[in-house]
Amino acid sequence: MIKIWSMKKNEDAAAKKKPKTSAAQIRVQKDLTELDLPSTMKTNFPNPEDLLNFELTITPDDGMYKGGEFLFTFTINSNYPHDPPKVKCVPKIYHPNLDLEGNVCLNILREDWKPVLNLNAVMVGLQYLFLEPNADDPLNKEAAKDLRENRSRFAQNVRTSMRGGYVGDEVYADVRPKA
Amino acid sequence: MKITINNYHAIALWRWNLKAGLQQHQPANAQPTAEGEEEEEEEDDDDDDDVCGICRVAYDGCCPDCKTPGDECPLIWGECTHVFHMHCIIKWLDTESSKQQCPMDRRPWVTAGAAAPPPDAPPAPRQAARVA
Ligand SMILES: [Zn+2]
Ligand SMILES: [Zn+2]
Ligand SMILES: [Zn+2]
């Protein structure tokens, strides 16, 4: 028995020397293995060693944003899953629930986050924003106003913006897939 | 024939007694209809039954901040019947965004009990005696 305990101590010491995988990393790893994404969403890891910083591309196959390719960055801090992942939209797009800096208004990324949610839930929620843009609680007030007051004008504005055109005073990013 | 045992290794297995914990705390929580349905749903969800919803590590394992499972990293029940590693739920309840709610159902978290290895119903130890 004594022998076993001293062996265990050595193991502990060895474990301490190795760089510790953080709780956030362990949880993210589990979330990633549980990902069950439709073909309209793809993850990409610019640095495969770094699971806490990655990209998601959404290419909606339905709705007003069909035909666009929307790149998001995910930044996960060491307090995950107690803190939600930080998600940003890279291209500047015309959408009531995204501001011009790419911040996203999605309830589960903010007030409704809870640690039992996972990355899959967040990604599915993001895709939903493209299928059902929502004029309540907007980040882009002009876009929300257009959506509320004149849905067909809003749809026209979405098309213009996705080609890299102007809507009002703002020029938006061309999000048509390259090649 | 005569056998002399020179040496043996005893091996024991333990598990948190989840069932006992839940049964113990359910009567206090006997609300009809809606809740009954919810619980049925959970039972269907076999895969997730044995892992802490916060860290996704098995209940019999320990939270990511601990090194060894056992008394040092106990489980805790809410009155809503949800179970977490005590360290995981405390960490969540300490955050402002938790609003002191259970992360599963968003009901106010009320601790119903914490698990200690049950003294009355010890898990059957598996013993392997080796004759050397
Ligand atoms: Zn846990
Ligand atoms: Zn612990
Ligand atoms: Zn609960």
Side-chain angles (χ1 to χ4, degrees):
Chain A
M1 216 47 190
I2 290 161
K3 211 169 157 198
I4 293 173
W5 284 123
S6 60
M7 265 166 63
K8 184 145 188 331
K9 259 186 208 141
N10 291 341
E11 271 170 34
D12 283 353
K16 264 181 209 136
K17 264 179 229 152
K18 268 188 268 165
K20 201 176 156 243
T21 325
S22 73
Q25 274 170 305
I26 295 169
R27 174 59 204 269
V28 167
Q29 223 151 23
K30 285 179 200 282
D31 279 19
L32 292 173
T33 59
E34 283 168 14
L35 278 188
D36 183 18
L37 296 178
S39 58
T40 48
M41 289 194 271
K42 290 253 165 352
T43 53
N44 174 42
F45 291 82
N47 174 4
E49 308 269 279
D50 183 2
L51 295 181
L52 302 183
N53 292 282
F54 60 90
E55 300 169 346
L56 174 75
T57 308
I58 304 181
T59 46
D61 60 359
D62 199 6
M64 290 186 260
Y65 291 88
K66 185 178 172 180
E69 196 177 70
F70 303 96
L71 179 70
F72 288 83
T73 55
F74 278 65
T75 311
I76 296 168
N77 73 21
S78 60
N79 219 20
Y80 184 80
H82 296 280
D83 289 350
K86 285 210 168 42
V87 177
K88 275 209 155 198
C89 185
V90 176
K92 179 174 159 187
I93 67 174
Y94 170 83
H95 190 296
N97 310 113
L98 290 166
D99 72 12
L100 301 177
E101 273 81 57
N103 296 305
V104 186
C105 181
L106 179 66
N107 62 334
I108 56 168
L109 286 176
R110 295 164 177 239
E111 74 276 9
D112 288 337
W113 172 256
K114 39 190 183 174
V116 297
L117 290 174
N118 59 12
L119 292 173
N120 205 75
V122 170
M123 292 174 184
V124 169
L126 283 177
Q127 167 154 279
Y128 187 72
L129 284 182
F130 289 103
L131 301 176
E132 290 291 334
N134 163 9
D136 312 322
D137 194 18
L139 281 182
N140 182 332
K141 295 218 165 57
E142 281 69 46
K145 190 162 172 280
D146 293 340
L147 174 60
R148 216 174 9 240
E149 290 174 357
N150 188 338
R151 206 177 160 85
S152 63
R153 190 180 65 206
F154 175 78
Q156 179 57 48
N157 288 347
V158 169
R159 281 193 292 276
T160 308
S161 70
M162 281 168 49
R163 288 195 301 263
Y166 274 91
V167 177
D169 294 337
E170 294 294 339
V171 63
Y172 290 93
D174 185 343
V175 291
R176 290 171 295 181
K178 286 143 199 89
Chain B
M1 191 172 79
K2 229 178 167 187
I3 293 174
T4 317
I5 297 175
N6 293 328
N7 204 339
Y8 73 92
H9 297 267
I11 299 166
L13 281 183
W14 68 271
R15 303 197 58 143
W16 291 116
N17 193 346
L18 287 177
K19 291 258 156 54
L22 285 172
Q23 275 153 13
Q24 194 183 325
H25 298 300
Q26 252 161 1
N29 197 32
Q31 284 158 20
T33 54
E35 179 141 276
E37 284 165 32
E38 199 179 298
E39 275 160 20
E40 263 172 48
E41 235 173 71
E42 273 166 22
E43 274 164 30
D44 290 344
D45 206 358
D46 272 348
D47 288 359
D48 282 348
D49 269 4
D50 306 342
V51 300
C52 166
I54 296 176
C55 65
R56 308 258 164 167
V57 173
Y59 288 135
D60 294 334
C62 58
C63 82
D65 291 331
C66 289
K67 281 219 158 79
T68 43
D71 288 344
E72 313 268 281
C73 189
L75 300 179
I76 194 167
W77 278 266
E79 277 189 356
C80 56
T81 74
H82 289 130
V83 185
F84 303 97
H85 294 122
M86 186 179 79
H87 297 145
C88 292
I89 188 74
I90 287 178
K91 199 169 169 191
W92 166 241
L93 295 174
D94 271 351
T95 65
E96 216 171 285
S97 42
S98 76
K99 301 187 208 95
Q100 303 296 303
Q101 292 164 338
C102 170
M104 288 288 193
D105 50 35
R106 294 230 155 230
R107 282 189 273 176
W109 177 264
V110 183
T111 301
D120 46 340
R126 219 202 269 162
Q127 283 203 355
R130 226 169 42 198
V131 181

